[in-house]
Structures are given as structure tokens and as C-alpha cells.
Amino acid sequence: MKRLIDKLRHYHSLTGEEYANLLSCQDTGTLLYLQQQAREVTLAHFGNGIFIRGLIEVSNRCRNNCHYCGIRKGNTAITRYALKRETILECCREGYALGFRTFVMQGGEDPALTDEWIEKTVAAIHCEFPDCAITLSLGEKSREAYERFFRAGANRYLLRHETHNEEHYRKLHPEEMSLKHRLQCLQWLKEIGYQTGTGIMVGTPGQTLTHLVEDLLFIEQFQPQMIGIGPFIPHHDTPFGTEPAGSVGMTLKLLSLFRLMHPSALIPSTTALATLSPNGREKGILAGANVVMPNLSPREQREKYTLYDNKAAFGAEAAEGLRALAQQLETIGYRISTDRGDYH
Ligand code: SAM
């Protein structure tokens, strides 16, 4: 197994069978070796600085009905909100003063947030904070819309493909959504020039090892600049409300494999990982992640952006908790980097 890990580190590529062997490996010594190799690669590329991104959850309204997601259209039990442009700018001001140089606007596919509104909001952030990167995570849009946002100043876009297997995609999403269209969006984003992020949830209902191998092979070939990977966590008011959460161990294993596959990729230690495991954030970093995304949303709205149960949004997971985050990172030998953290 160590031979496969060395091979991935040197050639950044394995066969499907080789990935499958690593994914099914349970040997503690091998898994420690995998993490250690991934960590070494991260340190060689980025040193011990962890990039911070200020996450602003702009709307929890969504036209989609993804079976796993707590803000799906069909969930009538949550209070919906959408932030005003001025509130988003206020969040950016607060974040800028704290040292953030990347703002991430994430939200459901809210029909009220028109392309024009998004374009103007991006332009307003860009005008006031020209030294900051703007990341969008607003779902599937037309190519023209992506182009407009890019011209207005957005630099990065996060759109997880969720699973690269057609049948599994259909199990997770309603009929009107398609994997083909999601992949088309990812292609557009890359062509336009965005630093593009994709990724998956680990442990969604029906996910098999073969599906994960398909995800690894897709990401190996697509070469995204950012890779978002976190465990699935059930939300009680969704069709998957009683399903078990994904495994922290498998998430960490995949994270390390992605690091060896793409040494310079920006890989967050996700909120879902921090939610599921007490030291999840640190574990992600020790497995090869180099980004964290503290929550910059207005405090009174955070509890309404409930993608899954018990989602962490306060303490070290919050922008105002940066000192706590810095302390946690220090205990494992890392520090916060306030650089923009672009892909190179
Ligand atoms: N609507 C945009 C989109 O689809 O990309 C952005 C918002 S969406 C809520 C952001 C991500 O949250 C999704 O890509 C998904 O992977 C993650 N997510 C949603 N429900 C989740 C759950 N129950 N557990 C873990 N992650 C979840």
C-alpha cells in the first residue's frame, strides 16, 4: 500500500483499481503514512499558513429540492431569509477589519437573487475591496450569468459535483436536476477563467466505493483549483433525515488522496468535518487541508442556514472567533495566513 501512496505522490495519478485498494485499506500504519505524506506535500507548497475565507451565507431560499439539504425548497419548517446588498457589504467590512482577504458568497438558488442583482453585488464588493478575492457559490447559472459575474470582479466559483455517478446523482436529486448540466456548468466556469472548485459529500445514501473511485478519477482529470470535501450529515426535515452521517475517517482519507493528486490545490477543512468530530478542523489540516472558511454571516441569520443538523457556526467556526481558531491551529503547529491565497 505504501508503494501506491509513493506512486501517487510522485505521479499524481493512479488507476481506478489502485484508488479502490487505498480507499478500502484499514491498516492504521498505512493510513498514518498517507496522512504524513499529504501533510508533507501541503507544507512544501504552502508552509504552515492556513488561508482563511470569510463565508457569507446570502440566502437560504432555494428553488431546488436536493434530498440531502436542509434548505431544500420542500422544507417548510425553516424561516427563510435573504441578505440585502448593504448587509453583505457590512459583513465584508467586518471581515476586512479582521484580516479576511477573500469573501465567499454562498446561498441557495434563490430566484429573487437575479443575475443583475448578483452582478451588482459583486461589483460593489470589488469596488470597495479591490485587493480582495470574491468567491461565489450560488449554484447552477447560465454561461452568460457566470461571464457577467466574472467581469464584475468575481474570481472563484465553488460548485461541488456531489457525485460523478449518474445513477447515484439521481438518487440524491430530484428529476429536474442533472449531473450532465452540473458538469457543463463546471466546464463553463473553467473556460471563463474562474479558479474553479468542485467536490463531494462523503457518505451520502447509496454511495459506494466504486462511486468514490469515479469521483477521484473525475477530479484527477478535471484538475479543479479548489476541492471541497466533507461528510454528509443528515438534516431531520429532509428525505435523508434518518440516514447515518458519513465517516470522518473516509473523509480524511479522501482529503489526503486529493492532496497527493493535486499538490497545489486549495483544499478546505470543512465546517461539516468540524461539526461531526470535536477536533475535525485540526484533523482535516493534519490530513492535508490548507484552507478554513469561518462564518461571516450576520449572527442572527446563521441558525437559519441549516444545511444539516447541528451545523457549527460559532466559536472557532465564526469570523469573530479568529483568536480561538489561531490558538487551535497553533496547538498543531499551524498559523492563520491573511494572504488572498490564490491558486498558483
Ligand atoms: N446552491 C449552491 C450549490 O448547490 O452549489 C450552494 C449552496 S449548497 C447548500 C453548498 C453545499 O452544501 C453543497 O454543495 C453540498 O455539498 C453541501 N451540503 C448540503 N447539504 C448537506 C448535508 N446534509 N451534509 C453535508 N453537506 C451538505
Side-chain angles (χ1 to χ4, degrees), residues 62 68-71 106-109 137-139 158-160 162 182 200-201 231-235 272 305 307-308:
C62 194
Y68 46 80
C69 186
I71 63 167
Q106 191 189 85
E109 291 189 21
S137 175
L138 298 169
L158 303 173
L159 186 75
R160 289 182 177 175
E162 315 293 4
R182 203 142 179 109
I200 58 165
M201 282 172 287
F232 158 75
I233 304 176
H235 182 292
Y305 197 78
L307 305 183
Y308 42 81

Side-chain angles (χ1 to χ4, degrees), residues 27-103:
D27 176 63
T28 317
T30 309
L31 297 179
L32 281 175
Y33 184 73
L34 172 64
Q35 289 209 354
Q36 182 210 333
Q37 294 300 303
R39 201 157 59 232
E40 267 182 37
V41 169
T42 314
L43 285 166
H45 271 76
F46 301 98
N48 70 343
I50 300 295
F51 297 128
I52 48 170
R53 320 303 199 190
L55 180 66
I56 306 170
E57 294 158 337
V58 296
S59 169
N60 71 352
R61 299 206 178 101
C62 194
R63 67 187 172 127
N64 293 328
N65 232 348
C66 308
H67 302 323
Y68 46 80
C69 186
I71 63 167
R72 66 201 301 270
K73 179 174 68 184
N75 184 4
T76 52
I78 56 166
T79 310
R80 302 284 174 171
Y81 76 89
L83 301 184
K84 294 197 165 61
R85 184 174 300 135
E86 187 48 35
T87 310
I88 295 172
L89 286 167
E90 271 302 323
C91 295
C92 295
R93 284 175 203 131
E94 188 185 333
Y96 194 89
L98 288 166
F100 285 89
R101 294 296 178 268
T102 293
F103 302 117

Side-chain angles (χ1 to χ4, degrees), residues 111-125:
L113 305 189
T114 61
D115 295 347
E116 191 189 356
W117 184 90
I118 296 170
E119 182 184 24
K120 283 192 173 155
T121 306
V122 169
I125 299 174

Side-chain angles (χ1 to χ4, degrees), residues 140 161-167 169-170 173 177-185:
E140 297 175 31
H161 66 285
E162 315 293 4
T163 171
H164 198 259
N165 180 278
E166 284 272 5
E167 203 179 311
Y169 193 91
R170 280 200 298 277
H173 301 96
M177 294 180 74
S178 82
L179 174 63
K180 195 163 164 247
H181 190 256
R182 203 142 179 109
L183 297 179
Q184 173 66 83
C185 288

Side-chain angles (χ1 to χ4, degrees), residues 202-274:
V202 178
T204 40
Q207 185 179 63
T208 64
L209 208 87
T210 313
H211 297 155
L212 290 173
V213 171
E214 289 176 48
D215 292 316
L216 281 157
L217 292 173
F218 165 65
I219 290 185
E220 186 186 305
Q221 163 261 314
F222 185 68
Q223 299 264 332
Q225 285 87 3
M226 301 173 286
I227 305 171
I229 156 156
F232 158 75
I233 304 176
H235 182 292
H236 61 282
D237 280 321
T238 62
F240 292 160
T242 56
E243 297 285 346
S247 135
V248 171
M250 183 57 97
T251 305
L252 295 174
K253 201 189 277 189
L254 282 156
L255 214 154
S256 297
L257 291 176
F258 283 127
R259 169 59 67 210
L260 296 180
M261 180 195 282
H262 287 313
S264 50
L266 298 154
I267 305 182
S269 186
T270 55
T271 304
L273 197 52

